[in-house]
Amino acid sequence: MTELRDELLAGINANREKFESAGDRAEELRTLPHDAVAILRSLGLFWLKTPAELGGTPLSPVEFSEVIEELAYVDTSTAWAAMIGAGCNGLAGGWLPDEGARQVFATGHDGVRPVVAGQLAPRGTGHPVRGGYLVSGRWGFSSGIVHAEWLIGAFKPDGDDPGPSGEEDLPTDHGAAATGFGRMVVFLVPKAQAEVIDNWHVAGLQGTGSLDFSVDGIFVPSELTYDLGTAAVRGGDLFRLGMPAFVSNEVPPLAIGLARRAMDDMTELATHTARFPGGPTVSERAVFHKELGRAETRIRAARAIHREAMAAAWESAVAGTVPGEELQLAVTTASIYAVETCAEVVTDLFRYGGGRVLALSNPMQRHLRNVLAARQHLALSEEHYETAGRYILQSAKSRRG
């Protein structure tokens, strides 16, 4: 896959000015412009986690990280759209039953492959009926929904009682793995069947188009659902990573690319900026030299610990084994560490810009807003540190026993 990675990196570099311009416009539009989406489609960036048998070109986790990091260095909104699109397409492509997967990934008459948007938080309910569910609910943070054709969400079934009709073809597979929240069912619906709610008015990641959507009693056939926590049904090694490792190479490399860009932008600003008229430029001050050296080291450390964890999980998957609890915890804690470190780096660098970096025309304010918003992602909850701590204590107790 190294050849594909190199082609993608070259494509990102060739379209750098277009992506940067799109990022500026995305701030006003609150979603990625159509021309930028078209470039992402042409490069195939939405299908880097889609099984090859469904038309995707899946990358290994570390190579995917490299691509997302480089795209985030160019523009965060563009990288977020590619990252979420790839992840949601991968969830649908790897886990849906055959009939449902063929339906979602059928190429349109114009040869356009689909994009999926949404999230897996169980924000709705599903009532079992003959052949599927009646689903109602509202799901937020559906990044890229404006340019998506399909939507993905999750719900908690309100009971599997087939009712007085006694139908035998109700969904009954409860999945092989616990989610920690009881049974959760993932579903997909065409965007045209949902209500898209234009409520994305936020302080960070403004250009990601992360609108809500809702459905009210819509029928979702069983072939467009699967139980969260079950094994993937196709896709090979990449889909043997299991959850959460499958999605843990998304926000961390984006934050790393963003932090690298913030460091370079602040370095450039520091060469011609003085805090006081007639005083030394920021770049001439020893305290800034220290901060810059520290920032570089911290970004490299964040990247190293995250890539090391992803590489270990990938090695397990390639060997034919779903990464176990210890490897999954290593990935989740490394992900949190990487993003929180990048957020701290950008925050520390921001202080050296003075009041001028508060201007909406200055890129540093956008870097700060975006990295702080990324830090709020559900997958980066510090509860994962708590879980890792409990695992360490239990392992120590077991060794003593």
Side-chain angles (χ1 to χ4, degrees), residues 238-264:
L238 181 61
F239 294 83
R240 200 176 294 116
L241 282 171
M243 300 290 280
F246 182 78
V247 296
S248 292
N249 62 338
E250 297 177 2
V251 181
L254 179 139
I256 292 166
L258 187 164
R260 283 177 45 218
R261 181 60 181 266
M263 189 176 76
D264 287 353

Side-chain angles (χ1 to χ4, degrees), residues 146-163:
V146 175
H147 56 257
E149 290 78 30
W150 286 82
L151 304 179
I152 191 170
F155 62 81
K156 295 180 71 65
D158 61 7
D160 285 339
D161 183 359

Side-chain angles (χ1 to χ4, degrees), residues 83-109:
M83 172 197 81
I84 294 295
C88 289
N89 282 349
L91 292 171
W95 277 268
L96 277 179
D98 288 343
E99 185 178 347
R102 286 193 299 268
Q103 183 177 343
V104 171
F105 289 93
T107 303
H109 296 299

Side-chain angles (χ1 to χ4, degrees), residues 55 104 126 189 287 291:
V104 171
V189 295
V287 66
E291 195 66 59

Side-chain angles (χ1 to χ4, degrees), residues 45-113:
L45 285 161
F46 289 126
W47 302 283
L48 298 182
K49 288 189 172 186
T50 301
E53 52 263 57
L54 295 176
T57 51
L59 281 179
S60 72
V62 171
E63 289 181 322
F64 182 84
S65 294
E66 292 170 353
V67 171
I68 294 300
E69 178 183 333
E70 197 58 31
L71 189 55
Y73 180 90
V74 174
D75 178 64
T76 302
S77 295
T78 305
W80 193 275
M83 172 197 81
I84 294 295
C88 289
N89 282 349
L91 292 171
W95 277 268
L96 277 179
D98 288 343
E99 185 178 347
R102 286 193 299 268
Q103 183 177 343
V104 171
F105 289 93
T107 303
H109 296 299
D110 52 3
V112 175
R113 290 180 288 179

Side-chain angles (χ1 to χ4, degrees), residues 25-371:
R25 287 178 287 146
E27 289 285 297
E28 300 177 4
L29 296 172
R30 296 179 293 114
T31 190
L32 201 63
H34 294 304
D35 55 342
V37 173
I39 298 173
L40 292 178
R41 286 183 179 273
S42 68
L43 293 175
L45 285 161
F46 289 126
W47 302 283
L48 298 182
K49 288 189 172 186
T50 301
E53 52 263 57
L54 295 176
T57 51
L59 281 179
S60 72
V62 171
E63 289 181 322
F64 182 84
S65 294
E66 292 170 353
V67 171
I68 294 300
E69 178 183 333
E70 197 58 31
L71 189 55
Y73 180 90
V74 174
D75 178 64
T76 302
S77 295
T78 305
W80 193 275
M83 172 197 81
I84 294 295
C88 289
N89 282 349
L91 292 171
W95 277 268
L96 277 179
D98 288 343
E99 185 178 347
R102 286 193 299 268
Q103 183 177 343
V104 171
F105 289 93
T107 303
H109 296 299
D110 52 3
V112 175
R113 290 180 288 179
V115 173
V116 179
Q119 55 135 304
L120 298 190
R123 302 296 185 187
T125 59
H127 179 69
V129 294
R130 180 188 178 104
Y133 297 89
L134 296 179
V135 180
S136 298
R138 176 167 173 167
W139 292 263
F141 304 104
S142 302
S143 302
I145 193 172
V146 175
H147 56 257
E149 290 78 30
W150 286 82
L151 304 179
I152 191 170
F155 62 81
K156 295 180 71 65
D158 61 7
D160 285 339
D161 183 359
S165 63
E167 300 292 350
E168 296 179 354
D169 57 348
L170 293 171
T172 57
D173 180 6
H174 290 196
T179 64
F181 300 97
R183 185 184 176 211
M184 288 170 50
V185 177
V186 178
F187 73 96
L188 279 95
V189 295
K191 185 175 72 172
Q193 296 182 13
E195 178 186 3
V196 177
I197 303 164
D198 187 3
N199 63 335
W200 190 241
H201 301 277
V202 291
L205 297 174
Q206 283 180 298
T208 63
S210 303
L211 284 61
D212 287 13
F213 75 91
S214 68
V215 296
D216 185 12
I218 187 174
F219 174 70
V220 179
S222 57
E223 63 266 21
L224 289 177
T225 69
Y226 66 87
D227 277 45
L228 188 64
T230 55
V233 297
R234 68 184 64 80
D237 294 338
L238 181 61
F239 294 83
R240 200 176 294 116
L241 282 171
M243 300 290 280
F246 182 78
V247 296
S248 292
N249 62 338
E250 297 177 2
V251 181
L254 179 139
I256 292 166
L258 187 164
R260 283 177 45 218
R261 181 60 181 266
M263 189 176 76
D264 287 353
D265 285 348
M266 189 60 229
T267 300
E268 170 62 24
L269 180 65
T271 61
H272 54 80
T273 296
R275 294 301 298 271
F276 301 100
T281 63
V282 174
S283 65
E284 294 174 316
R285 299 174 59 199
V287 66
F288 183 69
H289 300 167
K290 183 269 297 183
E291 195 66 59
L292 208 57
R294 183 168 174 262
E296 170 72 12
T297 303
R298 298 181 75 190
I299 293 172
R300 291 175 59 191
R303 180 193 292 116
I305 192 171
H306 178 258
R307 302 288 166 84
E308 178 186 60
M310 289 306 311
W314 177 239
E315 183 179 356
S316 174
V318 170
T321 304
V322 176
E325 183 179 11
E326 185 171 349
L327 287 175
Q328 297 285 358
L329 286 172
V331 166
T332 55
T333 52
S335 297
I336 301 168
Y337 177 81
V339 178
E340 70 182 7
T341 298
C342 290
E344 291 167 1
V345 165
V346 176
T347 302
D348 290 343
L349 289 171
F350 185 85
R351 294 185 296 109
Y352 289 88
R356 61 184 53 78
V357 295
L358 296 173
L360 294 179
S361 60
N362 191 288
M364 286 302 297
Q365 54 79 27
R366 189 188 304 176
H367 297 325
L368 180 64
R369 290 188 290 107
N370 284 342
V371 78

